[in-house]
Amino acid sequence: MFTPVSPEGESPESRASVLTIRSEEVDAARRLSLCPFTLRFSSGIVSVVIVSREDQQSGMKFLLYLALVRSLLVHGRASWGNVDWDVIIFTQQWPITSCIHHLAQNPKASCNLFPNMTSWTVHGIWPTKLGTIGPNYCNKSWDFQESEILNIEPYLIKYWGNIFGEDSRTSLWSHEWKKHGTCAAQLPSLNSEKKYFEKGLEWVTQYDYVAVLGQHKIYPDDVQTYTREAIFAAVKDMFGVDPSIDCIYNKKTKQHELSQIKLCFDRSLHLVDCDGIIGANEEKVLGNCPFKGITYPASVRTGGKNYHYPHELVELRKQRWEVAQATCVSWLCHALMTVYSLMWITL
């Protein structure tokens, strides 16, 4: 129930009252701002100020509406709390492979390989029940709002960008939030768009696969091939857990191209083995890549431009990542250190 209280500084004779609303009802209250009473916003609390007798009837209608909103929120939150998952799969994709596959499916398509996209990029942060796929779309009423992430959008374009040129800039973010973010939001550390996407930025800068693979002499190269064990070992040696390694088969070149690398986290966001997620093969190495003959593509042509990832850029990223690992305590520090050191390079 809502309990009216006297607004600070007003006498009882004014017949004014204030109704305190919980913070999750702020949006509903804002949408009613044309009602004949005042909404006061302070520190996430909304006060509905009814200032005269004439407002009482409107106020009662508002109370009934707000009670309905509160009931729906409680019901939705209860259903949301029953969603079960075990681990979060943090998936990064190699943009050049993603672009090659996209163009193979539609030769008229194009890719958004931004000049400053010089790393693996985030595909998603996926809460997962072991042995299954999902859950997904845990709160269909929680839409994506770009305004929540505007201050980090330049970094999302670089590290979590939409590679498909035909889609809008925000389409990947919207999809990932609605499908996966609403499930991850069970955790207090991920219970908003900003927290969810900032966690992706934190992890993509901390777990830099260009640098990690480069330290094990695995470079983007259109000719050289690598074994699945070599890629798996490079990641495991660095982070101490079993990753999952995915490839895409290129029918034109008849090569298996390195596509995605996944790390897994428990509900406390500590690294754990990805054992138990869908994708283990007969050799018990996670992912769908073949034993050998894996390419790590360095080049693609899209939009009339050739993109090529040089070995020199790998060496520079290795150096900057090692320095950042030793000195940085935030994802922004990692990002800025890398960006400023790579400004002279264009792909």
Side-chain angles (χ1 to χ4, degrees):
M1 297 294 293
F2 301 94
T3 304
V5 297
S6 296
E8 185 177 354
E10 295 190 17
S11 64
E13 289 74 14
S14 68
R15 296 186 181 273
S17 59
V18 177
L19 309 176
T20 300
I21 306 168
R22 293 185 311 207
S23 59
E24 62 259 38
E25 292 153 353
V26 170
D27 288 340
R30 286 186 190 276
R31 287 193 288 270
L32 294 177
S33 60
L34 294 179
C35 291
F37 39 78
T38 303
L39 299 182
R40 293 179 180 170
F41 299 87
S42 176
S43 301
I45 299 297
V46 183
S47 296
V48 183
V49 184
I50 301 175
V51 296
S52 68
R53 283 181 185 271
E54 289 74 16
D55 293 338
Q56 297 299 319
Q57 186 175 4
S58 296
M60 290 305 297
K61 291 180 180 179
F62 176 77
L63 288 179
L64 291 173
Y65 175 83
L66 211 54
L68 175 61
V69 170
R70 177 169 289 181
S71 174
L72 292 173
L73 285 168
V74 170
H75 174 74
R77 186 67 60 86
S79 301
W80 181 39
N82 292 330
V83 176
D84 189 22
W85 49 268
D86 302 307
V87 298
I88 282 181
I89 302 174
F90 174 57
T91 304
Q92 293 188 52
Q93 60 185 333
W94 180 233
I96 293 176
T97 299
S98 298
C99 180
I100 291 171
H101 182 61
H102 182 54
L103 297 178
Q105 290 182 318
N106 182 4
K108 295 182 180 180
S110 62
C111 302
N112 294 322
L113 294 182
F114 302 96
N116 65 340
M117 189 181 285
T118 56
S119 69
W120 288 63
T121 60
V122 182
H123 186 172
I125 298 174
W126 306 334
T128 301
K129 181 72 174 175
L130 294 176
T132 67
I133 296 176
N136 299 320
Y137 300 103
C138 293
N139 188 339
K140 293 184 179 179
S141 67
W142 199 345
D143 289 333
F144 170 78
Q145 299 292 334
E146 185 182 4
S147 60
E148 298 295 322
I149 57 170
L150 282 176
N151 64 327
I152 59 172
E153 197 165 286
Y155 299 99
L156 291 174
I157 290 173
K158 174 178 173 59
Y159 290 109
W160 200 331
N162 181 7
I163 295 171
F164 302 155
E166 298 73 36
D167 297 339
S168 70
R169 184 187 70 261
T170 62
S171 60
L172 176 61
W173 306 332
S174 176
H175 171 78
E176 292 299 317
W177 170 253
K178 290 188 287 188
K179 185 174 182 179
H180 304 290
T182 55
C183 301
Q186 286 185 15
L187 302 183
S189 56
L190 298 174
N191 65 359
S192 70
E193 279 184 41
K194 191 168 188 294
K195 290 180 182 179
Y196 178 76
F197 288 103
E198 278 194 333
K199 183 58 67 174
L201 293 174
E202 175 188 331
W203 283 346
V204 75
T205 53
Q206 182 175 356
Y207 306 110
D208 186 331
Y209 293 142
V210 170
V212 169
L213 296 177
Q215 288 186 339
H216 288 74
K217 307 302 181 184
I218 299 174
Y219 298 90
D221 194 296
D222 295 323
V223 178
Q224 178 71 39
T225 62
Y226 304 96
T227 67
R228 184 183 62 211
E229 289 287 351
I231 299 169
F232 184 91
V235 179
K236 182 166 185 175
D237 288 351
M238 182 59 64
F239 303 125
V241 293
D242 292 344
S244 181
I245 314 294
D246 290 339
C247 294
I248 294 178
Y249 182 68
N250 188 325
K251 295 180 179 179
K252 182 177 180 180
T253 63
K254 301 188 184 306
Q255 293 178 319
H256 293 271
E257 297 168 340
L258 182 60
S259 173
Q260 296 188 141
I261 299 179
K262 302 169 183 174
L263 288 174
C264 294
F265 297 80
D266 63 19
R267 294 178 69 99
S268 297
L269 302 187
H270 298 140
L271 277 171
V272 295
D273 292 335
C274 285
D275 305 350
I277 71 170
I278 288 180
N281 53 41
E282 63 276 10
E283 290 87 10
K284 305 302 181 185
V285 175
L286 296 168
N288 65 0
C289 294
F291 178 73
K292 61 181 181 180
I294 301 170
T295 62
Y296 182 8
S299 304
V300 65
R301 181 174 179 80
T302 179
K305 182 177 181 179
N306 291 318
Y307 286 81
H308 178 75
Y309 205 101
H311 284 204
E312 293 81 5
L313 181 51
V314 176
E315 295 300 324
L316 184 55
R317 285 199 68 91
K318 284 166 51 180
Q319 296 171 14
R320 302 314 300 165
W321 182 71
E322 290 169 356
V323 172
Q325 288 290 91
T327 60
C328 289
V329 295
S330 71
W331 67 262
L332 185 57
C333 172
H334 276 264
L336 292 177
M337 186 171 292
T338 302
V339 168
Y340 290 151
S341 67
L342 301 177
M343 287 178 63
W344 61 276
I345 291 181
T346 56
L347 294 180

